[in-house]
Amino acid sequence: MAEQQRLGEPEFFSPRMIREYCERARNFVRPLFHELHVSAEELEMVLRELPSSNPHVFGQDSKVRARLVANHMRRAADGAEVTAASLVRTYLSFRKHYMPEIHQRGQRTRRKFDINDQ
């Protein structure tokens, strides 16, 4: 619930409202990429220093396991990056697919959609 309050109420009754919602969501998600990426590096470095469970492999198993664990956080960081980019694409796609049609036929929607509010 708290996340939804940060983004605001999802009301989409004008191009401006769509753009602003996408911008708020992007601004919320974008910093997560950097934080998660750096945290993944830190996590890997910490886990590499843990004692090996098998002394015969000279600590190589700790390095491999640390990388495996940190890669999950790296994937989460990549997901945040994709999310931010997709939010930008959402508004651009709206403009591409709906604006010409709305301008061409006028405003005939069930709900009031103010095309002039950009």
Side-chain angles (χ1 to χ4, degrees):
M1 288 292 191
E3 291 81 14
Q4 190 174 15
Q5 291 174 355
R6 290 181 193 160
L7 299 179
E9 191 65 33
E11 293 180 352
F12 306 117
F13 300 119
S14 72
R16 179 185 55 82
M17 293 174 99
I18 295 170
R19 184 188 73 239
E20 287 175 355
Y21 186 83
C22 289
E23 283 177 3
R24 284 192 306 271
R26 179 180 165 265
N27 290 336
F28 176 71
V29 172
R30 192 170 185 219
L32 292 177
F33 167 73
H34 300 290
E35 184 175 331
L36 290 171
H37 187 70
V38 170
S39 296
E41 296 299 320
E42 292 172 350
L43 177 63
E44 183 177 350
M45 292 305 116
V46 168
L47 294 177
R48 288 175 79 144
E49 299 302 319
L50 292 176
S52 174
S53 62
N54 185 352
H56 301 301
V57 293
F58 306 106
Q60 291 301 313
D61 64 326
S62 287
K63 292 177 184 174
V64 170
R65 291 183 302 155
R67 186 150 193 85
L68 289 171
V69 172
N71 278 342
H72 291 289
M73 195 174 292
R74 285 189 190 93
R75 282 189 208 101
D78 292 342
E81 182 180 33
V82 169
T83 301
S86 293
L87 287 162
V88 172
R89 288 185 191 111
T90 298
Y91 180 68
L92 294 176
S93 181
F94 162 75
R95 291 194 56 88
K96 176 182 175 183
H97 294 288
Y98 282 94
M99 294 301 282
E101 178 183 321
I102 291 172
H103 281 298
Q104 191 176 45
R105 70 180 172 127
Q107 208 171 323
R108 290 184 228 149
T109 59
R110 283 188 241 162
R111 292 186 184 199
K112 183 169 177 15
F113 189 88
D114 188 4
I115 195 66
N116 297 319
D117 187 15
Q118 296 185 21

